[in-house]
Amino acid sequence: MSSGLSFRVVIPARLGSTRLPGKVLRELAGATLLEHVHRRACESGADEVIIATDSREVYQAAESFGATVSMTSDTHESGTDRIHEVVSAKGWADDEIVVNLQGDEPGMPPLLIRQVAQNLGAIPSADIATLGYPIQSWEDWQDPGLVKLVKDEQGMALYFSRAPIPADRAALLTGEQRLPVAGAWGHIGLYAYRVHALHRFSQLAPAALESCEALEQLRAMAHGLRIHVGEASQRPGIGVDTEADLARAAEELASYSEANN
């Protein structure tokens, strides 16, 4: 890939998981889930890829496949806090771009990792960048597991919610089921930050809307940080939260390997 864009990727990876204990070290398609995620990050053309963990077991596993690893505190509330510790320790400049790639996303296309960094680099007025896609089905629009978003004419996020937004007034009044209205977007949980935004975010108290929706990005918005939403150039593979997800991810990775070999 072209080296014109400079960005780094940090992968927060904790061993604890409520629904699938130890999932980042579970094996699928010949490697751990975390190793697959690391490969996607390296394939994105990032200048540097770092795994951030509080687990000695994860640290040793990551070192075994050649990753750069940072041992971080075990008191962090979120992956974003873990990434901020790495950024602070490295002393990266305020205007540098860091992508937060979750350690349970083996099907995240390298193209999207690069796209979200490029979008942030191209929009000086944004503090954070993320990706989304137009929702096409009623089922997706109603699914609380799929985070929805609305944005302004410049592509800046106005709100994120687990509820079906924007509301369709006629459907609400009549109870009629219809396809999502124009402007209904699904969110892809991939973020690029300017380092100064990470520093600011780390100092913010949780916001009421964040607690209500259980969506960390609402803390940034509540305090005036601007999030740009680009349309994803392709859809990511499945994130892994359950045994069923693990099986589906293995199938997707087998197809990915065939297509890229």
Side-chain angles (χ1 to χ4, degrees):
M1 288 187 179
S2 168
S3 59
L5 173 69
S6 177
F7 69 99
R8 294 177 168 88
V9 177
V10 181
I11 304 168
R14 64 187 184 92
L15 194 58
S17 172
T18 303
R19 287 185 285 179
L20 189 60
K23 67 178 176 180
V24 296
L25 297 185
R26 294 289 297 272
E27 288 199 12
L28 65 165
T32 63
L33 190 154
L34 182 59
E35 184 172 357
H36 285 293
V37 175
H38 182 262
R39 289 174 184 172
R40 301 296 86 76
C42 292
E43 291 164 358
S44 73
D47 296 90
E48 189 173 5
V49 177
I50 299 175
I51 293 172
T53 186
D54 61 359
S55 163
R56 180 58 57 182
E57 189 176 351
V58 171
Y59 187 100
Q60 292 172 342
E63 276 198 326
S64 74
F65 59 75
T68 300
V69 198
S70 286
M71 198 71 183
T72 58
S73 170
D74 61 2
T75 62
H76 292 309
E77 295 288 334
S78 70
T80 309
D81 294 330
R82 197 173 306 284
I83 291 171
H84 180 254
E85 180 180 340
V86 173
V87 168
S88 298
K90 296 291 184 180
W92 292 337
D94 281 356
D95 60 350
E96 292 198 53
I97 293 173
V98 180
V99 174
N100 175 352
L101 175 61
Q102 295 300 311
D104 58 2
E105 295 279 356
M108 185 62 69
L111 186 63
L112 294 191
I113 300 169
R114 187 171 185 83
Q115 182 188 358
V116 75
Q118 286 177 321
N119 287 359
L120 184 58
I123 304 169
S125 59
D127 302 294
I128 303 168
T130 191
L131 300 172
Y133 57 92
I135 294 176
Q136 302 296 330
S137 75
W138 173 269
E139 291 75 20
D140 284 348
W141 195 36
Q142 296 293 315
D143 180 6
L146 173 64
V147 176
K148 275 72 66 176
L149 67 93
V150 288
K151 56 181 183 171
D152 68 18
E153 296 299 322
Q154 286 71 49
M156 295 296 181
L158 293 170
Y159 193 62
F160 295 83
S161 181
R162 299 185 185 280
I165 57 172
D168 183 336
R169 180 179 181 274
L172 288 172
L173 292 175
T174 65
E176 177 185 356
Q177 175 176 312
R178 34 178 162 177
L179 289 176
V181 295
W185 279 54
H187 181 225
I188 294 171
L190 180 66
Y191 296 93
Y193 299 85
R194 299 191 199 280
V195 165
H196 72 75
L198 272 172
H199 289 321
R200 184 177 173 197
F201 184 89
S202 72
Q203 298 170 1
L204 299 175
L209 288 173
E210 172 193 3
S211 300
C212 178
E213 295 263 16
L215 295 174
E216 187 183 61
Q217 62 269 42
L218 292 177
R219 183 191 316 179
M221 295 186 66
H223 292 276
L225 289 169
R226 304 193 75 199
I227 303 176
H228 181 268
V229 184
E231 182 168 359
S233 56
Q234 64 185 100
R235 293 287 291 276
I238 188 171
V240 176
D241 288 314
T242 65
E243 290 286 354
D245 293 342
L246 198 67
R248 288 177 57 196
E251 295 175 1
E252 289 183 351
L253 286 168
S255 298
Y256 180 88
S257 296
E258 290 177 5
N260 288 275
N261 288 328

